[in-house]
Amino acid sequence: MALQSKLFYIRTSFVLVRLSRKFLTKPVANQLSSSLQRVCISRPFFTSRVIMAAPGNRMCWDFTATDIAKRADQLIMKTKAVYDGVGDLKAENVTYKNVIQSLADNDCDYAVERNMLDFCQHVFPNKEMREASVEADKKLSEFDVETSMRQDVFKSLLAFQECNKGDLKPEAKRYLERQIKLGKRNGLHLSKDIQDKIKDIKKRMSDLCIDYNKNLNEENTILEFTEEELAGVAEDFVKNLEKTEAGKCKVTLKYPHYFPCMKKARNPETRKRLETAFNSRCLKENTAILEELVELRQKKADLLGFPTHSAFVLDMRMAKKPEAVKPFLADLAVKLKPLKEKEIKLFLEYKEEECKKYGYKFDGKINMWDMRYYMNMTEEKVYAVDHDKLKDYFPMDVVTKGLLEIYQELLSLKFEEIPGTKVWTEDVKLYSVKDSASGDLLGYFYLDLFPREGKYGHAAVFGLQPGCVKIADGSRQLAVAAMVANFTKPLPDKPSLLTFDEVETYFHEFGHVMHQLCAKAEFTMFSGTSVERDFVEAPSQMLENWCWDKEPLNRMSAHYKDKKSIPSDMLDSLVKSRKANAGVFNLRQILLGTFDQRIHTCAKANTAAVFGQLSEEMLGIPSTPNTNKAASFGHLAGGYDAQYYGYLWSEVFSMDMFYSRFKKEGIMNPKVGQDYRKWILQPGGSIDAADMLKNFLGREPNEEAFLISKGLNTQEK
């Protein structure tokens, strides 16, 4: 997932988040305050004795909470002055310099500062700093709404367009057209009364989204279990859990605790307690927030002349309209249903066998708290994949070294760690990125990989400093991004050992980092991952394929004790398991995408009831009573509203790119890697995704490879 400044959240920004193949929603980053791309840190910060320079990196990490408030006010004053200058122009006086250059250069500076004031709410250890960042975010978000509704600036843009027909470079023309379209999507061509209503709605929605995600980030539920209740979970995992005075194990609802327990705890009551708590997170407050958002979004769509909020959103996406999304999801669901039914039948056989063996009551059905457990069991029994043993071959340092080497070789880049730089906590690392042929510095990336209290709870990439051109002097600003994750932490007697899901997530998210760093758009609006939302995941989804190929797997793995390679039989089993549970997993994704579309094509929604109904219809599994997945479905308050279908939609393109070029011409073929960098990563959002795909593929994309990847085609390509 990728993030961008709040200014562009109102326009085009977002956070990129990866979905785990076990239906983790590493959300869109919980909206990441909806701006999803900012950074800031406060004293005391970690630094080594010698401070190393990172030329061109404008990120600053020595803020205090007071500094955040002051700098937010200063940013508002500076930006308002720019907009006032553009808005005060008479039609006969507009020029490229005083309209396009003024706005675009302000976009560049605004994004950097905005990100610095915003990012710390997601990563900073100090709660006072996080709270100060949230408050600044709310203030700046309100200001963002104000600037997006500046009719005087809109009129200057229209005046410039009228007198400059055909005289602009393609990207500058795209910028002008996009600004005008966004103005119309904010109602600036409508009456003042309607504009005021839209402005009020946008301000309210912004505050609601920030509160929704703050609630999730600060959620800290702890459940207590005896060791007997955790039977089946890895012994070293249980041993290293924090204990109560009575000796019970403390289990949080954070990913590194929740998923290992749901996959391995054989006591169904343990899993039921965990799943009920997990899907009850922020139940009361966030259910109310999301349902108000649904109503507000539809009201805004009505004011703008769109039939539904989904229709409003998709007008700017590859799909273009809900009528294209609905059959895409429905047709795929029909194709997957036989696979799902076969898998559920196997789950029930395993469950009945387990219940007899351990004396549990067999209820004859698969419940929500059973799904991950029996999916994992299928991988172990059918494919002989033992994930507890497998993770011993994925120590963090080995995975990181191999991953970085693969990306460097594939994309003709050179990474170098910069030790001793100022960061927000001591285990964060900073790297520079250069083109290996020319030696040109492209930018920097931070890696913040382990969980801590108050930190953003999923895996996402934050675009902190957009790579773009300062029109005033023609200089290029370097790109800076941060990958934020919550991988398994080191133990007293073991290094950090990653599960295979975490390895895949690491590879995926780092693909977003490369998109941020390799893009060469001139305008901030089109920098990095600023592509259509239903394409944005495709570049990183494609790179997940490297985790399923033996050569890359061997390069980023070695047993943490003796450095031995993964045994060939274990490796073969892992690769074959890729299509395990394809029916259940992908129908779960279709369920989430359909739910998103359903609530955003109506005026109001009882989200728990809608989700429960769809779950029963599509999976044959009801929601657990007194839960509501929607209350913790961060995508829907994080910039993916009416767009969750995009994960599967973009996967069509990712698989086509992989099968048609890399699998055919060589998975580590540098020529294909260069083409991928040139045609897919380098443009950013400066051209349409459909054109990028045609340039890379040499033809229109198709879904053949996608269907093969889902086990829906018997003939391998």
Side-chain angles (χ1 to χ4, degrees):
M1 160 180 189
L3 321 180
Q4 292 177 332
S5 80
K6 183 70 99 175
L7 172 64
F8 295 104
Y9 174 67
I10 292 186
R11 300 175 182 172
T12 60
S13 84
F14 46 86
V15 176
L16 295 174
V17 165
R18 176 187 179 266
L19 278 171
S20 155
R21 51 195 295 267
K22 302 298 176 249
F23 27 89
L24 300 156
T25 64
K26 291 170 182 158
V28 130
N30 270 349
Q31 147 129 354
L32 295 174
S33 100
S34 65
S35 119
L36 311 172
Q37 251 193 353
R38 324 160 202 191
V39 185
C40 112
I41 264 13
S42 93
R43 299 185 187 90
F45 53 80
F46 171 79
T47 175
S48 67
R49 189 172 301 173
V50 179
I51 302 299
M52 302 295 290
N57 182 356
R58 298 170 63 186
M59 295 296 102
C60 171
W61 305 110
D62 56 354
F63 290 169
T64 65
T66 302
D67 291 336
I68 291 177
K70 289 181 179 178
R71 293 185 72 148
D73 289 339
Q74 292 168 356
L75 181 59
I76 288 171
M77 290 177 61
K78 178 182 176 182
T79 303
K80 185 176 183 301
V82 173
Y83 275 72
D84 287 346
V86 175
D88 287 343
L89 293 169
K90 295 181 179 179
E92 61 269 22
N93 295 330
V94 297
T95 65
Y96 183 86
K97 183 177 181 179
N98 63 24
V99 177
I100 303 301
Q101 178 178 315
S102 293
L103 292 174
D105 283 351
N106 178 76
D107 291 345
C108 179
D109 291 333
Y110 183 90
V112 174
E113 186 75 3
R114 180 73 155 96
N115 293 347
M116 288 194 296
L117 296 176
D118 181 89
F119 184 56
C120 66
Q121 68 183 282
H122 308 297
V123 299
F124 202 71
N126 183 282
K127 188 171 184 179
E128 181 186 8
M129 286 295 296
R130 297 197 303 270
E131 290 176 344
S133 176
V134 168
E135 291 308 308
D137 189 13
K138 288 185 175 182
K139 179 181 288 188
L140 285 163
S141 295
E142 183 169 331
F143 174 69
D144 290 338
V145 172
E146 294 286 348
T147 59
S148 73
M149 301 297 294
R150 290 284 298 258
Q151 191 173 41
D152 54 349
V153 173
F154 181 66
K155 288 181 178 178
S156 292
L157 287 163
L158 289 172
F160 179 76
Q161 183 183 53
E162 182 62 29
C163 66
N164 283 273
K165 297 183 181 297
D167 296 333
L168 298 175
K169 292 181 180 179
E171 191 171 334
K173 182 181 179 183
R174 185 179 179 88
Y175 177 81
L176 175 60
E177 291 173 346
R178 180 68 58 83
Q179 289 280 28
I180 290 173
K181 182 164 186 175
L182 292 171
K184 291 180 179 179
R185 286 170 62 82
N186 284 321
L188 298 183
H189 60 306
L190 302 175
S191 69
K192 181 67 164 56
D193 178 58
I194 292 178
Q195 289 180 40
D196 288 342
K197 290 178 181 178
I198 292 172
K199 183 189 296 185
D200 289 343
I201 289 172
K202 290 180 67 175
K203 287 182 177 180
R204 176 61 179 163
M205 290 194 302
S206 178
D207 283 347
L208 288 171
C209 287
I210 292 170
D211 287 341
Y212 182 104
N213 288 290
K214 179 186 176 185
N215 293 338
L216 282 178
N217 284 348
E218 298 294 337
E219 197 280 331
N220 59 0
T221 298
I222 293 176
L223 301 181
E224 298 177 3
F225 296 98
T226 64
E227 291 190 10
E228 183 181 1
E229 289 172 322
L230 294 175
V233 181
E235 184 178 335
D236 62 343
F237 175 88
V238 175
K239 181 180 70 174
N240 286 283
L241 289 172
E242 186 180 348
K243 306 297 192 294
T244 67
E245 290 184 1
K248 287 191 173 184
C249 302
K250 293 184 177 182
V251 179
T252 73
L253 300 178
K254 305 301 182 185
Y255 286 1
H257 278 191
Y258 179 73
F259 292 114
C261 291
M262 292 303 293
K263 290 179 180 181
K264 296 294 288 185
R266 66 170 174 250
N267 187 327
E269 287 303 314
T270 297
R271 299 196 305 272
K272 182 177 181 180
R273 279 183 61 197
L274 276 164
E275 189 271 335
T276 301
F278 188 78
N279 285 320
S280 299
R281 289 174 296 160
C282 310
L283 179 65
K284 182 178 180 180
E285 58 269 44
N286 278 2
T287 296
I289 287 174
L290 181 59
E291 291 178 0
E292 184 177 352
L293 282 170
V294 168
E295 294 185 35
L296 291 171
R297 288 164 177 166
Q298 183 58 46
K299 287 179 180 178
K300 182 160 75 79
D302 290 339
L303 291 169
L304 291 167
F306 287 88
T308 64
H309 177 65
S310 179
F312 169 76
V313 170
L314 297 187
D315 181 54
M316 296 282 284
R317 303 295 176 251
M318 292 185 76
K320 300 303 181 186
K321 54 186 179 180
E323 290 77 10
V325 173
K326 185 176 181 179
F328 169 73
L329 294 174
D331 291 350
L332 185 56
V334 170
K335 293 173 182 176
L336 287 165
K337 187 176 180 181
L339 286 179
K340 185 266 296 186
E341 290 178 346
K342 182 179 178 181
E343 291 159 4
I344 293 293
K345 181 180 178 182
L346 183 60
F347 294 173
L348 283 169
E349 291 175 6
Y350 290 156
K351 182 173 182 178
E352 185 174 15
E353 182 180 309
E354 281 249 308
C355 287
K356 288 179 180 178
K357 182 176 180 179
Y358 296 109
Y360 302 126
K361 181 181 178 181
F362 179 60
D363 59 7
K365 60 184 180 181
I366 296 298
N367 304 292
M368 278 295 182
W369 58 86
D370 294 323
M371 288 183 64
R372 294 181 193 277
Y373 183 73
Y374 291 107
M375 288 174 74
N376 185 73
M377 186 175 291
T378 297
E379 293 187 26
E380 292 180 346
K381 291 193 172 187
V382 176
Y383 297 93
V385 176
D386 186 330
H387 285 284
D388 285 337
K389 290 182 179 178
L390 189 62
K391 70 181 181 181
D392 289 347
Y393 291 90
F394 292 118
M396 173 65 82
D397 59 341
V398 174
V399 174
T400 299
K401 180 176 181 294
L403 178 149
L404 296 182
E405 288 175 352
I406 290 168
Y407 271 100
Q408 289 175 94
E409 180 179 331
L410 187 67
L411 299 178
S412 301
L413 299 171
K414 181 181 179 181
F415 305 152
E416 183 177 353
E417 184 179 351
I418 305 177
T421 54
K422 297 177 182 178
V423 290
W424 50 94
T425 191
E426 63 180 349
D427 58 3
V428 173
K429 294 182 179 180
L430 176 67
Y431 293 80
S432 63
V433 179
K434 295 181 180 179
D435 179 83
S436 59
S438 67
D440 291 344
L441 179 63
L442 303 180
Y444 303 90
F445 64 85
Y446 295 92
L447 296 179
D448 182 356
L449 304 179
F450 297 115
R452 56 183 174 272
E453 185 178 354
K455 181 182 174 183
Y456 173 71
H458 306 282
V461 170
F462 293 72
L464 304 176
Q465 180 172 300
C468 57
V469 173
K470 295 295 293 289
I471 300 176
D473 60 11
S475 63
R476 182 162 190 88
Q477 177 171 275
L478 300 177
V480 180
M483 178 180 164
V484 176
N486 289 272
F487 295 145
T488 303
K489 296 178 74 171
L491 299 173
D493 57 344
K494 288 184 180 181
S496 169
L497 299 176
L498 302 186
T499 65
F500 184 71
D501 274 354
E502 290 177 322
V503 173
E504 197 177 10
T505 295
Y506 199 168
F507 219 89
H508 173 103
E509 292 300 337
F510 198 79
H512 289 313
V513 173
M514 291 297 92
H515 203 168
Q516 294 282 4
L517 273 291
C518 292
K520 288 189 175 180
E522 294 185 2
F523 287 78
T524 300
M525 179 177 280
F526 307 125
S527 65
T529 55
S530 301
V531 298
E532 294 97 317
R533 183 66 56 81
D534 47 7
F535 178 73
V536 73
E537 295 294 335
S540 283
Q541 286 173 332
M542 191 209 71
L543 289 158
E544 289 178 34
N545 288 287
W546 274 249
C547 296
W548 296 96
D549 187 274
K550 292 180 182 179
E551 179 189 350
L553 276 172
N554 276 319
R555 291 178 64 172
M556 54 184 176
S557 62
H559 199 282
Y560 78 98
K561 289 182 178 178
D562 55 20
K563 308 302 180 186
K564 288 184 179 179
S565 300
I566 301 177
S568 58
D569 59 338
M570 185 181 289
L571 200 57
D572 289 340
S573 296
L574 175 63
V575 173
K576 290 177 182 177
S577 74
R578 186 171 193 182
K579 294 177 183 177
N581 307 305
V584 170
F585 171 68
N586 288 289
L587 273 171
R588 169 73 171 184
Q589 290 305 103
I590 293 171
L591 163 63
L592 295 174
T594 304
F595 169 75
D596 178 27
Q597 288 295 307
R598 181 73 59 85
I599 65 172
H600 287 119
T601 51
C602 58
K604 58 175 58 181
N606 179 328
T607 54
V610 173
F611 189 85
Q613 177 191 351
L614 289 173
S615 182
E616 185 86 60
E617 291 175 0
M618 305 186 78
L619 285 176
I621 301 173
S623 296
T624 303
N626 302 314
T627 66
N628 185 11
K629 167 65 182 173
S632 55
F633 193 177
H635 291 75
L636 302 190
Y640 270 61
D641 43 294
Q643 299 161 90
Y644 194 85
Y645 75 91
Y647 278 102
L648 284 169
W649 183 277
S650 60
E651 198 174 345
V652 172
F653 309 126
S654 75
M655 287 302 175
D656 198 4
M657 288 189 288
F658 176 71
Y659 274 72
S660 300
R661 294 294 312 272
F662 285 101
K663 188 172 183 179
K664 184 180 292 185
E665 300 176 46
I667 194 169
M668 293 303 299
N669 186 322
K671 169 62 169 62
V672 185
Q674 283 282 37
D675 284 350
Y676 179 73
R677 181 177 160 189
K678 176 181 179 181
W679 298 117
I680 301 298
L681 302 183
Q682 191 168 302
S686 63
I687 63 175
D688 289 346
D691 293 326
M692 297 182 213
L693 287 164
K694 283 186 284 187
N695 290 337
F696 180 68
L697 295 170
R699 58 165 171 77
E700 296 286 346
N702 63 59
E703 67 174 11
E704 182 181 354
F706 171 73
L707 294 176
I708 290 172
S709 74
K710 300 302 177 190
L712 296 175
N713 200 322
T714 56
Q715 183 177 358
E716 286 294 333
K717 191 171 179 179

